[in-house]
Amino acid sequence: MLTIIFNNFDFMLSFLPAIIIGVYLYTTWYYDYWSKLGVKCPWSPVPLFGHVFQSITLKKHFMEVLEDIYRKIDDEPFVGIYSMRTPEFFIKDPEIIGKVLIKDFNYFTDRGSLNNPKNPLSHNIFQTGGERWRTMRQKLSPTFTTNKLKYMIEQIKICSDSLLECINENFIKYSGQMEIRDMMGKYSTDVIGKCAFGLDLDTINDPESEFRNYGKVTFQPSIRAHVIVSVFLTQPSLLRFMPSSFQPQKSIDFFRNAFQQTIHHRIESKIERKDVVQQLMKAREDLVLNPALNDKDKFSEMDIVANAYILFVAGFETVSTSMSFCLYELALHKNIQDKVREEIIGIKSKNDGKLDNDCLCDLQYLNMVIKETLRRYPPLVFLTRVVTKPYTLPDTNITLENGTKILIPVRSLHYDCKYFPNPNEFDPERFSDENINKLHPNTYMPFGDGPRQCIAKRFAEIEMKLALSEILSKYEVLPCEKTQIPIKYIIGSFVNAPENIWLKFKPIHS
Ligand code: HEM
């Protein structure tokens, strides 16, 4: 018996050098891609992991890895990196960034997000590209016109009233100390449910809410998500053997059924509202049911549901983390908080204590505070694009071929002292009327830029302004013993999310 084992072991040992060479070749095969094009790398790639070893092994947040690359390359306008085995073109120069996002957008129309064809919910405007993205974007853009946003303010107001009631109850129960990130998450879930889909979710009072709980899962880092992203970056062809999405199937099924039912209920009961569902129903008429369209240009019922889904999930985590960071900074900067409050109370008192669209536009200092919050804490720390037509970089002989991935390090630009002096200081004055025009173009992009910038930028701004104004006119926010200073981020999360934000609320007696 032992002889057989040893003989087999000898046999396997004789293959070992070939196996080692094979593994080495597989894990380093593409690593001459950039040098062949004449593009520098920031440092030598690690076999298999390329330049993202520390984020894949969860030693660092991906934003820190981007920061390391950004700092390392000094005055280089761009470098080539490898995200595991995938070559990516990392751009530092704002002029080239402007060309990619805006001026030469037609060469970069796609985002290149992980898009598993088996997951029907991934056929949405965030994840698709080309003509199908363009068509759907045109159909959905009218959702957020000034007129419709004015109508939505009333709906948002109902949710911000519930948020204040919740703060009030928690204040009594927990002597003012609250973890605000989860609370803001419930508020933004309620807002998107109400304004976009006409649903009264009331997650703020319902700890069992499936919308909130399945929504949270979408953004939670998990081993499943980590493995799928690693496969996507190493050998994308293997994705077809993987689960359909990095979210659990239960969560996909829940959202698919919920949005399908909402849309069908509206159609059957002929309810008309100025909201996302209305716009999706119009898109359905024009793109799914339209007999004049040929099969290639037609969309499916599921494509409509996929877009309902993305408008729901893209909306709550971004808004809730931004609002939480804003309150955190205001708690640490009492002078700025007092100034914002003074502005809010002044404008409210001129308008019988109410806030309407005009008042929100007049809240200029609050606007500056939100802009500075999004500079320090952009929810998406980088933007991506994919080359969709070969593109020769101006004044070089470097041509990026179809399919090349582009990475734009938004957060690193926001922290570059060339564009934002003393970047670690929270200073809303950077965005005063006087200073805003001095900002270097294409260095401030919390909502992205160009034709693919955030479709709901103005909606998100109104949602944040309304809740922040209501909170700050009734409460002072202060740090407490549980407040993390500095903030600790969730490593492995693909949005810029804090582990928690604890603050103390103190009622203002006027
Ligand atoms: C503070 C709040 C928000 C921030 C900072 C934010 C940021 C972003 C960014 C950076 C992008 C990518 C832009 C690019 O690639 O150039 C984006 C895209 C998008 N966002 Fe937002 N977002 C916010 C809120 C929302 C809300 C509330 C919704 C939905 C109601 C939403 C829906 C979308 C959609 C659908 C896209 C894809 C647009 C396209 O590809 O055509 N976002 N957002």
Side-chain angles (χ1 to χ4, degrees):
M1 181 69 180
L2 273 179
T3 346
I4 297 172
I5 292 174
F6 279 120
N7 281 346
N8 277 345
F9 187 67
D10 279 351
F11 179 71
M12 277 158 64
L13 216 56
S14 63
F15 279 103
L16 199 58
I19 292 170
I20 292 174
I21 291 171
V23 169
Y24 180 78
L25 284 179
Y26 175 78
T27 54
T28 57
W29 191 256
Y30 292 113
Y31 290 172
D32 59 352
Y33 180 86
W34 289 119
S35 59
K36 276 191 198 152
L37 269 185
V39 175
K40 287 186 191 162
C41 285
W43 58 77
S44 302
V46 176
L48 185 64
F49 295 98
H51 295 95
V52 294
F53 177 75
Q54 286 177 308
S55 66
I56 293 290
T57 50
L58 299 180
K59 288 202 168 82
K60 279 189 178 179
H61 194 292
F62 188 54
M63 74 186 175
E64 292 175 88
V65 173
L66 294 179
E67 192 66 31
D68 291 345
I69 298 170
Y70 191 92
R71 291 231 175 97
K72 180 86 189 340
I73 65 182
D74 283 335
D75 289 333
E76 292 293 335
F78 48 77
V79 282
I81 64 163
Y82 299 96
S83 272
M84 301 202 70
R85 292 173 75 232
T86 305
E88 289 182 354
F89 190 66
F90 180 107
I91 313 180
K92 185 173 182 180
D93 178 41
E95 208 174 309
I96 305 178
I97 291 174
K99 288 195 179 355
V100 168
L101 294 179
I102 308 162
K103 199 164 164 282
D104 295 331
F105 172 75
N106 282 340
Y107 293 82
F108 306 95
T109 55
D110 296 2
R111 186 170 280 123
S113 317
L114 196 161
N115 184 354
N116 192 330
K118 275 199 304 184
N119 176 7
L121 292 186
S122 68
H123 303 175
N124 59 61
I125 51 166
F126 195 93
Q127 286 171 274
T128 50
E131 270 316 300
R132 289 184 81 77
W133 161 75
R134 209 182 291 273
T135 310
M136 194 46 88
R137 173 100 191 190
Q138 272 166 8
K139 291 286 168 206
L140 295 183
S141 293
T143 316
F144 301 105
T145 56
T146 309
N147 241 343
K148 292 198 178 127
L149 289 174
K150 275 187 192 163
Y151 162 81
M152 289 181 195
I153 289 182
E154 285 310 308
Q155 317 280 310
I156 303 176
K157 183 79 184 55
I158 299 171
C159 302
S160 72
D161 287 347
S162 302
L163 171 66
L164 274 207
E165 274 167 32
C166 175
I167 294 178
N168 206 18
E169 275 168 29
N170 282 358
F171 175 79
I172 296 162
K173 269 198 227 152
Y174 308 112
S175 30
Q177 289 194 25
M178 292 167 226
E179 200 290 299
I180 57 165
R181 197 178 153 236
D182 190 46
M183 197 190 294
M184 298 303 149
K186 291 175 177 168
Y187 162 72
S188 56
T189 307
D190 283 352
V191 169
I192 194 76
K194 201 169 200 47
C195 296
F197 302 99
L199 299 169
D200 287 318
L201 301 180
D202 197 27
T203 65
I204 203 122
N205 293 310
D206 176 10
E208 304 302 317
S209 162
E210 289 185 296
F211 271 91
R212 171 68 186 148
N213 294 335
Y214 282 124
K216 261 199 314 201
V217 168
T218 309
F219 289 95
Q220 252 160 19
S222 64
I223 295 181
R224 178 194 178 100
H226 205 65
V227 170
I228 294 181
V229 170
S230 305
V231 171
F232 176 61
L233 295 172
T234 312
Q235 191 66 50
S237 57
L238 290 183
L239 275 184
R240 65 196 137 108
F241 304 111
M242 310 274 305
S244 63
S245 162
F246 43 75
Q247 294 132 262
Q249 191 60 38
K250 260 170 98 177
S251 136
I252 296 178
D253 292 344
F254 169 76
F255 282 118
R256 194 182 50 206
N257 294 338
F259 293 127
Q260 238 163 359
Q261 281 165 17
T262 309
I263 295 171
H264 281 117
H265 170 68
R266 281 280 188 94
I267 295 168
E268 279 158 22
S269 42
K270 300 197 170 58
I271 301 170
E272 287 207 8
R273 283 207 182 121
K274 293 176 186 162
D275 63 5
V276 169
V277 178
Q278 194 68 33
Q279 212 57 45
L280 287 167
M281 282 158 58
K282 173 97 183 63
R284 180 175 174 268
E285 257 169 49
D286 297 347
L287 305 173
V288 180
L289 306 178
N290 184 355
L293 286 183
N294 60 37
D295 283 354
K296 187 173 77 50
D297 298 330
K298 262 196 176 161
F299 283 67
S300 69
E301 295 278 355
M302 194 42 73
D303 293 339
I304 301 296
V305 175
N307 282 294
Y309 167 75
I310 198 66
L311 287 166
F312 183 81
V313 296
F316 59 79
E317 188 74 7
T318 43
V319 169
S320 64
T321 51
S322 305
M323 282 177 46
S324 308
F325 280 128
C326 186
L327 289 173
Y328 170 81
E329 285 293 346
L330 291 177
L332 300 187
H333 296 90
K334 186 173 170 349
N335 54 337
I336 300 177
Q337 186 182 154
D338 290 345
K339 195 170 165 185
V340 188
R341 181 173 302 108
E342 202 180 308
E343 179 187 58
I344 298 167
I345 292 179
I347 287 187
K348 271 178 110 177
S349 66
K350 278 193 217 151
N351 200 43
D352 291 339
K354 290 190 215 104
L355 284 173
D356 57 20
N357 188 46
D358 294 340
C359 295
L360 291 179
C361 295
D362 289 344
L363 290 169
Q364 279 183 8
Y365 191 62
L366 177 60
N367 206 22
M368 287 157 59
V369 166
I370 292 176
K371 281 198 154 67
E372 175 67 346
T373 304
L374 292 173
R375 179 192 69 82
R376 287 212 62 182
Y377 309 99
L380 300 188
V381 292
F382 62 98
L383 303 176
T384 58
R385 294 290 185 269
V386 168
V387 177
T388 42
K389 272 193 273 178
Y391 182 78
T392 303
L393 291 161
D395 309 321
T396 71
N397 52 8
I398 300 169
T399 298
L400 301 174
E401 60 179 13
N402 259 1
T404 309
K405 294 197 171 169
I406 309 279
L407 225 152
I408 297 168
V410 171
R411 187 178 181 278
S412 308
L413 287 155
H414 288 188
Y415 277 77
D416 189 329
C417 52
K418 235 190 313 174
Y419 312 124
F420 298 96
N422 302 321
N424 290 313
E425 201 177 297
F426 186 78
D427 179 11
E429 294 305 324
R430 301 176 203 274
F431 298 97
S432 67
D433 279 353
E434 194 195 340
N435 291 334
I436 201 159
N437 295 327
K438 295 183 207 153
L439 287 186
H440 199 293
N442 313 312
T443 55
Y444 178 70
M445 294 168 282
F447 290 98
D449 213 337
R452 277 206 91 142
Q453 70 167 291
C454 180
I455 195 169
K457 176 175 181 282
R458 289 175 58 219
F459 172 73
E461 285 168 346
I462 290 178
E463 186 181 347
M464 291 191 284
K465 273 187 177 177
L466 206 65
L468 290 169
S469 312
E470 295 296 0
I471 294 172
L472 293 167
S473 52
K474 299 206 173 51
Y475 288 93
E476 186 181 346
V477 283
L478 304 155
C480 58
E481 58 269 27
K482 287 186 180 170
T483 312
Q484 288 183 344
I485 306 175
I487 290 270
K488 288 191 188 133
Y489 295 95
I490 304 176
I491 294 186
S493 165
F494 55 91
V495 287
N496 186 5
E499 283 179 357
N500 59 55
I501 296 189
W502 280 86
L503 294 179
K504 189 172 171 68
F505 285 66
K506 192 171 145 203
I508 291 170
H509 300 290
S510 47

